[in-house]
Amino acid sequence: MAERGETESRKLLGRLRDAMAGDDAGQARLDKITHLIASSMGCEVCSIYLFRDDETLELCATEGLNKAAVHQTRMRLGEGLVGRVAKRRQVINTPDAPNARGFRFMPETGEEIFSSFLGVPVQRLGEALGVLVVQSKQAREFTADEVYALEVVAMVLAEMTELGAFVGEGAAMSARHSQPVMLRATVGQEGAAEGHVWLHEPRVVVSNPINDDPERELERLKTAVEELRVGVDKMLEIAGAGDKDQQEVLEAYRMFANSKGWMRRMEEDINRGLSAEAAVEKEQSLARARIGQSTDNYLRERLSDLDDLSNRLLRILTGQGSDTGAELPSDPILVARNIGPAELLEYGRSLRGIVIEEGSVGSHAAIVARALAIPLLVRAERITTEALNGDHIMVDAEQGIVHLRPEDTVVTAFRDKIAMLAAAQERYASIRDKPAETLCGARVGLQMNAGLMADLPSLHGSGAEGVGLFRTELQFLVRNQMPRRSELVQLYARVLDAANGQRVVFRTLDIGSDKVLPYMKPNDEPNPALGWRAIRVGLDKPGIMRMQLQALIRAAAGRPLTVMFPFVAQFEEYTEAKFILDKTLAAEKRLGHVLPSTIEVGAMLETPSLAFAPRKFFEQVDFLSIGGNDLKQFFFAADRENERVRRRYDTLNVSFLTFLEGIIQRCAETKTTLSFCGEDAGRPIEALCLAAIGLRNLSMRPASIGPVKNLLRRSNLEEVRGLISAARESGQMSVRPAVMEWLRRQS
Ligand code: PEP
Ligand code: MG
């Protein structure tokens, strides 16, 4: 039976290919295809619905329904049986369609007389393109074999759609990848850039989804899978015994590469007439659709493994390695589903902009992009399916918009914007060596945040007065293994050399939460942000902390050293950390190393609890730095990584400002130096308010120093203080509207 089904499928695909080979225009081809499918499956009706836009499906061709309904009948995603197939990306097979859940009567098509309904999604690599439907008068459920056959045809349709086979006169649909597209995304690093798309993982183009010779295709698949297996085994060997996590992933790969079910399904697809590539893609599409629906993290990860493996297999089959022969454009804008910090660093400053489909603002890739001052957008849904290598692209990382293949009017407006931004940059450059002194005479120290060697040239270029936060964990995060002490010594020494006598605040390792070292076993914690992180790891595993402190002491080699402990929640944690530092200093001295000429030790205030620490704590620390990113998330109980709640609470919320004022007050009483080093310090309006409530040191991304200084120099803090008091008295939630209005009046 299966074999008969296979032969039938193959015959149908053969006819489809012949239909495609003719000179017909897009619509005629679609019409022919519906005719072929209906007759081959013994059904009265075959219809093809394709997406007009994200939410709307349109009847694009039919055999058996009223032809006048073509391009007239539309339905929304989720509406009617067809809409449900598209929405759930699942087959619907029913002998009694009019009584099936979700059925919608469409009089214009004459549909009510057809009882049986079989609809399968047309999708390519998880991207829904439409729905393929067959219907018949006779009430019957379609057999598993028929369902399979229709899925195979849907796969071929998807590939043909991708290849633009249905475009043309009386167009069934517009050419994919040729229309302008505008996507919304989240800003990871502000800026604007124009350039050409460079896909981190180029799409594999399957030029022939149908095979003539199943034996040959089966052989090709077998050889490719063999090559894949050997490759995975080699990777396992290289990963070695030391790297448990990487090994686990590779073991999962190996499991899939040897999976009989996976192989069997692909073989069956080939026997039904698909080419080896199309068979791999069909499986990959199913896996991607399941990723989209699964809420189980483990399953999602495994399905992602399968996705990655399928990509590798496709590259082997098509000979399109990650090196497709395409040349990096001179103005590349990187487009990726996701990218790791190390890979991003490899591209370095050659990139004009970065657009990531997944990712988050707090991810490490985002931190690297910020360090490199490259405009970055994350969560640009569909970008990897919409963009092709070499497409013209404009990244508006001020508004959070991507323009792909933009129209001329958009191009002109966008270029004006870039010119305005460039003019602003010139203005900032002109005040680079001037102090951030307000109209009322307050002097605010502006330092920069850093973490990579790539940041250091900005120390001079941005006009920063030293490094207020050096995130040492970035060096640990971008590697595949724990860096050795000697490497760290060299690195920290280079940082101090580059700073040329300016103060650098080295924050000890802040790992945990979202910063999981690739070579350390991740802790399965229900709430990692509240979990085993930063100083908690440092105190529980003092070996790593000691090693890092030694490296810092040796790198200073007689120069001043500033050390800051992250995420201190109570006085004792600081005391314990300081004790480890003192012991390390003593041991270093015994070993004959030159000690730093001076040593300042401070803590980050990132949990509300520390604001209420005993006075003694404030007296003992040399300085405190408010880590506003974490402090704000704990103050409002709103996850900084969760896009849904992150924006809900404004930094300029009067309660939060009042809380910060309390910290400033306590530091003033004990004469403790205080700074603020969260992302908000780099946002001009926020920085202005922070200065107004009394902060005199702000540490931020280098690119923010110009805009912040520019605003501070034009402002009178007394007036801003007045606005804050007024907002507080009148019960306003946030001072932002008042400050914005005040700024508008100023300009
Ligand atoms: C902060 O929490 O504000 C901070 C500067 O530290 P990080 O963003 O590295 O957690
Ligand atoms: Mg923090």
Side-chain angles (χ1 to χ4, degrees):
M1 180 65 201
E3 237 169 69
R4 205 183 88 77
E6 282 170 6
T7 318
E8 291 298 319
S9 277
R10 258 207 317 276
K11 268 197 214 148
L12 172 56
L13 292 198
R15 286 192 207 117
L16 283 184
R17 192 189 29 216
D18 296 343
M20 299 299 299
D23 297 331
D24 297 324
Q27 185 63 48
R29 280 182 171 161
L30 273 179
D31 291 343
K32 247 189 206 166
I33 289 173
T34 50
H35 174 74
L36 280 174
I37 298 173
S39 70
S40 148
M41 292 192 63
C43 295
E44 288 91 350
V45 175
C46 172
S47 312
I48 296 173
Y49 297 81
L50 295 171
F51 274 100
R52 264 288 158 214
D53 56 51
D54 286 356
E55 290 288 319
T56 321
L57 283 153
E58 180 176 302
L59 176 65
C60 285
T62 186
E63 168 80 14
L65 295 185
N66 186 354
K67 292 263 188 219
V70 171
H71 298 308
Q72 302 303 321
T73 292
R74 292 188 178 181
M75 64 210 59
R76 296 189 62 74
L77 188 66
E79 185 188 5
L81 294 183
V82 173
R84 282 166 77 86
V85 172
K87 180 158 190 194
R88 303 225 228 107
R89 314 251 184 111
Q90 274 170 7
V91 173
I92 292 185
N93 179 6
T94 169
D96 185 9
N99 285 313
R101 189 154 164 234
F103 177 78
R104 200 198 82 175
F105 178 52
M106 290 182 292
E108 70 274 24
T109 64
E111 182 176 57
E112 84 279 24
I113 50 170
F114 298 102
S115 180
S116 317
F117 174 102
L118 169 61
V120 301
V122 178
Q123 54 186 337
R124 183 177 186 273
L125 297 182
E127 180 193 9
L129 302 172
V131 177
L132 174 61
V133 174
V134 289
Q135 290 170 280
S136 75
K137 282 186 185 154
Q138 187 201 350
R140 66 178 181 106
E141 186 149 341
F142 290 90
T143 63
D145 198 54
E146 286 170 314
V147 175
Y148 203 122
L150 202 63
E151 281 182 327
V152 168
V153 173
M155 177 70 212
V156 172
L157 270 183
E159 291 299 338
M160 290 171 168
T161 309
E162 173 71 15
L163 293 171
F166 306 126
V167 178
E169 278 295 305
M173 59 183 297
S174 46
R176 284 193 66 76
H177 300 131
S178 63
Q179 301 291 313
V181 174
M182 190 194 98
L183 302 172
R184 296 212 167 269
T186 306
V187 175
Q189 155 77 21
E190 289 84 359
E194 176 179 1
H196 290 88
V197 170
W198 179 255
L199 289 170
H200 180 52
E201 285 177 323
R203 293 163 80 85
V204 174
V205 181
V206 175
S207 50
N208 180 15
I210 302 171
N211 80 58
D212 305 310
D213 180 355
E215 292 307 318
R216 200 180 131 255
E217 290 302 290
L218 286 171
E219 199 47 46
R220 283 184 64 227
L221 179 71
K222 216 169 107 197
T223 317
V225 169
E226 203 39 53
E227 194 179 324
L228 178 75
R229 283 181 191 147
V230 172
V232 172
D233 285 347
K234 251 203 211 125
M235 274 154 53
L236 258 168
E237 243 171 63
I238 295 168
D243 196 336
K244 283 251 162 34
D245 293 328
Q246 201 180 343
Q247 246 186 341
E248 255 171 43
V249 172
L250 291 173
E251 287 290 358
Y253 277 19
R254 176 143 75 179
M255 196 182 80
F256 279 122
N258 289 303
S259 155
K260 293 223 166 55
W262 186 46
M263 201 59 201
R264 199 189 55 238
R265 284 191 303 274
M266 291 192 292
E267 283 167 358
E268 192 170 336
D269 293 336
I270 290 175
N271 281 329
R272 284 174 181 272
L274 289 187
S275 64
E277 291 88 337
V280 176
E281 270 202 11
K282 181 164 169 283
E283 284 304 305
Q284 194 176 12
S285 265
L286 289 178
R288 284 210 182 159
R290 280 169 64 204
I291 290 181
Q293 280 154 7
S294 166
T295 49
D296 180 297
N297 271 349
Y298 180 79
L299 185 63
R300 285 172 67 92
E301 265 174 39
R302 292 294 76 89
L303 288 169
S304 302
D305 290 346
L306 182 59
D307 192 59
D308 188 43
L309 212 60
S310 305
N311 277 334
R312 283 168 198 266
L313 192 53
L314 276 175
R315 292 191 202 295
I316 296 174
L317 277 167
T318 56
Q320 300 168 24
S322 41
D323 178 14
T324 53
E327 257 188 48
L328 190 73
S330 58
D331 50 4
I333 304 246
L334 186 81
V335 172
R337 245 157 92 84
N338 227 333
I339 187 165
E343 289 167 302
L344 198 50
L345 271 175
E346 261 171 47
Y347 286 107
R349 289 188 200 271
S350 64
L351 300 175
R352 290 258 177 110
I354 306 166
V355 184
I356 299 182
E357 184 154 326
E358 296 172 357
S360 76
V361 176
S363 72
H364 301 118
I367 293 174
V368 170
R370 262 176 240 143
L372 298 172
I374 300 172
L376 163 75
L377 289 176
V378 297
R379 302 196 171 225
E381 263 181 53
R382 300 200 340 266
I383 186 72
T384 58
T385 37
E386 293 287 356
L388 290 184
N389 255 344
D391 275 349
H392 187 197
I393 183 171
M394 293 180 142
V395 177
D396 183 344
E398 299 288 325
Q399 303 294 324
I401 296 174
V402 186
H403 300 283
L404 193 61
R405 305 178 285 267
E407 281 168 353
D408 291 350
T409 46
V410 175
V411 173
T412 314
F414 191 84
R415 288 192 181 147
D416 288 348
K417 187 167 188 163
I418 292 187
M420 258 170 57
L421 289 173
Q425 287 304 332
E426 270 177 34
R427 200 162 53 245
Y428 305 147
S430 71
I431 55 169
R432 192 186 60 194
D433 299 321
K434 303 217 161 101
E437 191 170 323
T438 63
L439 292 180
C440 52
R443 181 90 158 67
V444 184
L446 303 183
Q447 292 94 37
M448 67 176 242
N449 294 345
L452 299 167
M453 284 314 289
D455 293 324
L456 292 169
S458 307
L459 190 53
H460 176 67
S462 66
E465 302 161 82
V467 177
L469 167 67
F470 191 89
R471 291 180 161 105
T472 59
E473 64 277 4
L474 293 193
Q475 293 298 335
F476 285 69
L477 283 164
V478 296
R479 284 160 202 252
N480 294 325
Q481 55 192 34
M482 180 81 83
R484 286 196 306 273
R485 186 178 53 202
S486 56
E487 286 176 284
L488 290 181
V489 175
Q490 272 186 14
L491 184 102
Y492 299 151
R494 277 168 64 203
V495 174
L496 288 169
D497 293 346
N500 199 16
Q502 298 202 72
R503 182 170 178 257
V504 178
V505 181
F506 287 100
R507 172 174 81 179
T508 60
L509 260 193
D510 181 8
I511 50 170
S513 190
D514 72 311
K515 298 173 193 159
V516 182
L517 297 187
Y519 40 88
M520 244 169 102
K521 194 168 169 41
N523 276 299
D524 206 4
E525 295 181 304
N527 293 303
L530 306 175
W532 196 57
R533 53 177 293 199
I535 193 74
R536 302 170 183 180
V537 180
L539 295 177
D540 292 353
K541 292 227 176 274
I544 303 178
M545 180 140 124
R546 218 175 292 126
M547 186 271 272
Q548 193 184 23
L549 291 171
Q550 281 172 333
L552 285 168
I553 295 166
R554 291 181 198 180
R559 291 178 279 191
L561 177 65
T562 310
V563 176
M564 174 162 76
F565 297 115
F567 211 67
V568 174
Q570 57 184 11
F571 185 15
E572 288 71 15
E573 284 168 345
Y574 174 76
T575 326
E576 278 179 56
K578 175 85 169 33
F579 180 70
I580 295 176
L581 173 61
D582 289 341
K583 263 184 40 184
T584 311
L585 279 164
E588 287 294 287
K589 189 170 177 193
R590 274 200 304 280
L591 288 171
H593 292 289
V594 185
L595 295 190
S597 55
T598 57
I599 181 151
E600 270 187 284
V601 190
M604 286 194 75
L605 198 156
E606 302 184 90
T607 61
S609 62
L610 202 65
F612 302 96
R615 182 182 169 98
K616 232 183 171 44
F617 166 72
F618 285 83
E619 285 168 356
Q620 281 196 8
V621 286
D622 294 324
F623 65 92
L624 281 175
S625 189
I626 296 176
N629 306 336
D630 273 314
L631 188 62
K632 188 175 149 194
Q633 86 165 333
F634 298 120
F635 185 77
F636 290 110
D639 185 348
R640 65 191 260 193
E641 289 264 320
N642 182 338
E643 297 294 334
R644 252 199 173 144
V645 297
R646 205 171 63 81
R647 289 170 195 282
R648 206 180 170 96
Y649 304 96
D650 193 349
T651 305
L652 301 187
N653 176 298
V654 175
S655 315
F656 189 53
L657 292 180
T658 306
F659 177 56
L660 294 179
E661 277 175 350
I663 300 169
I664 296 166
Q665 174 65 27
R666 293 205 68 187
C667 286
E669 284 164 12
T670 49
K671 298 202 169 41
T672 312
T673 309
L674 179 66
S675 66
F676 187 106
C677 66
E679 296 301 309
D680 286 319
R683 303 193 171 103
I685 296 179
E686 279 81 339
L688 178 66
C689 292
L690 292 174
I693 61 171
L695 276 153
R696 288 294 172 269
N697 283 295
L698 302 174
S699 192
M700 64 197 73
R701 285 184 261 152
S704 298
I705 290 182
V708 167
K709 190 190 282 185
N710 187 42
L711 181 59
L712 286 174
R713 285 174 58 86
R714 292 194 289 127
S715 303
N716 182 333
L717 297 184
E718 309 260 332
E719 290 177 31
V720 182
R721 258 197 300 277
L723 298 174
I724 297 174
S725 303
R728 184 176 292 133
E729 263 148 45
S730 63
Q732 300 278 311
M733 187 166 69
S734 165
V735 74
R736 187 178 302 274
V739 176
M740 301 275 282
E741 179 51 35
W742 176 79
L743 282 172
R744 249 191 304 276
R745 282 201 311 269
Q746 308 269 305
S747 55

